[in-house]
Amino acid sequence: DPGVWGVFGDYTGGLLNPALSFISIVLLIKSLDIQKEANRNLQEELFNSAKTEKTKALDTLLFHMINSQKEILPSLQIAISTGAGNLILTGPSAIRELEEEIARLRTNNQGDKDITDLIENSDISDNIFGTLRAFYVAVKVISDKLSDSAGFTAQDRKERLLTLINFTDFSQLRLILIGMQFMNWSPADYLRSNAELQDVLQETGIKLPLY
């Protein structure tokens, strides 16, 4: 009887339609999850790509800064007072002479103020300040450009700080450390307060204060 088949069709449709609708919803949700995962992976790839480009740009800038520091050293001039007047020394020899003068003052129990005055009087062309400031700018770029908020880590900053310290001429680095210890310049204040820099210096075997 066609009427019976109609009833049977309604019955079968009543059973299958909800099941098929449920399966369709499940498949739709699954496809949305797959799409979300694909979008998330794409976003991560774009972020990592942007991060890589930023890192490359920073590394290039950092090595330019290191080279600029090296260019400062040969022209560095320091005036050392002698009985015959001021003796003008240049380059690493000037730094060694300044270190000997500081050691002599310490041997004679002179305080930080006397050493600060010595450095200020010796820095006739602001070369010591310029050397310290160049190092400060490099450290600040590392700290600001590789911040946590930009997606970088403390390890990223540590690696660049190690590179900066290891590629800085050792006599120049000693001069920077002298400035950090005794001078009240704002770059020196920043370097003294940078905990990550202090940690890296200790890791490389440099202990502050030097005197």
Side-chain angles (χ1 to χ4, degrees):
D1 185 348
V4 174
W5 283 108
V7 173
F8 178 73
D10 292 340
Y11 170 76
T12 304
L15 290 176
L16 291 179
N17 286 340
L20 293 175
S21 297
F22 177 75
I23 292 173
S24 298
I25 293 172
V26 170
L27 292 175
L28 178 61
I29 293 174
K30 184 65 177 178
S31 66
L32 290 174
D33 288 339
I34 293 173
Q35 185 63 42
K36 287 172 61 178
E37 182 66 23
N39 290 338
R40 185 159 46 246
N41 291 336
L42 178 60
Q43 288 176 348
E44 288 179 0
E45 289 178 5
L46 292 173
F47 175 80
N48 290 333
S49 177
K51 182 178 176 180
T52 299
E53 290 301 318
K54 287 181 181 178
T55 302
K56 287 181 180 179
L58 176 72
D59 288 342
T60 301
L61 177 61
L62 180 59
F63 277 103
H64 280 308
M65 289 179 173
I66 291 172
N67 289 331
S68 296
Q69 282 189 163
K70 291 180 179 180
E71 292 173 0
I72 293 174
L73 183 59
S75 60
L76 175 71
Q77 289 187 337
I78 294 178
I80 302 297
S81 296
T82 65
N86 284 341
L87 176 64
I88 307 299
L89 298 174
T90 60
S93 60
I95 298 172
R96 286 194 297 271
E97 187 65 30
L98 179 63
E99 289 173 320
E100 291 177 5
E101 286 294 314
I102 294 173
R104 182 183 61 78
L105 290 176
R106 277 295 195 235
T107 301
N108 294 330
N109 297 320
Q110 300 297 314
D112 289 355
K113 177 64 168 60
D114 298 297
I115 296 175
T116 299
D117 291 341
L118 168 68
I119 295 172
E120 288 180 343
N121 294 332
S122 301
D123 195 17
I124 53 174
S125 301
D126 288 336
N127 291 153
I128 300 176
F129 176 81
T131 299
L132 183 71
R133 188 177 183 281
F135 189 82
Y136 147 79
V137 170
V139 172
K140 195 169 191 309
V141 165
I142 292 171
S143 297
D144 292 350
K145 299 294 184 182
L146 299 182
S147 63
D148 293 337
S149 60
F152 294 91
T153 65
Q155 183 63 29
D156 294 322
R157 295 187 291 275
K158 177 182 176 181
E159 290 174 359
R160 272 71 186 183
L161 288 172
L162 279 170
T163 299
L164 174 62
I165 291 170
N166 290 329
F167 278 85
T168 298
D169 183 89
F170 187 55
S171 60
Q172 199 169 21
L173 181 61
R174 297 198 310 273
L175 182 63
I176 291 165
L177 296 173
I178 289 171
M180 287 172 58
Q181 180 175 349
F182 294 108
M183 306 312 293
N184 294 320
W185 300 323
S186 56
D189 293 337
Y190 175 86
L191 294 174
R192 281 194 297 266
S193 64
N194 190 307
E196 291 182 332
L197 174 63
Q198 300 299 327
D199 290 342
V200 172
L201 287 172
Q202 289 185 6
E203 185 174 318
T204 56
I206 299 173
K207 296 181 179 179
L208 294 175
L210 294 179
Y211 300 92

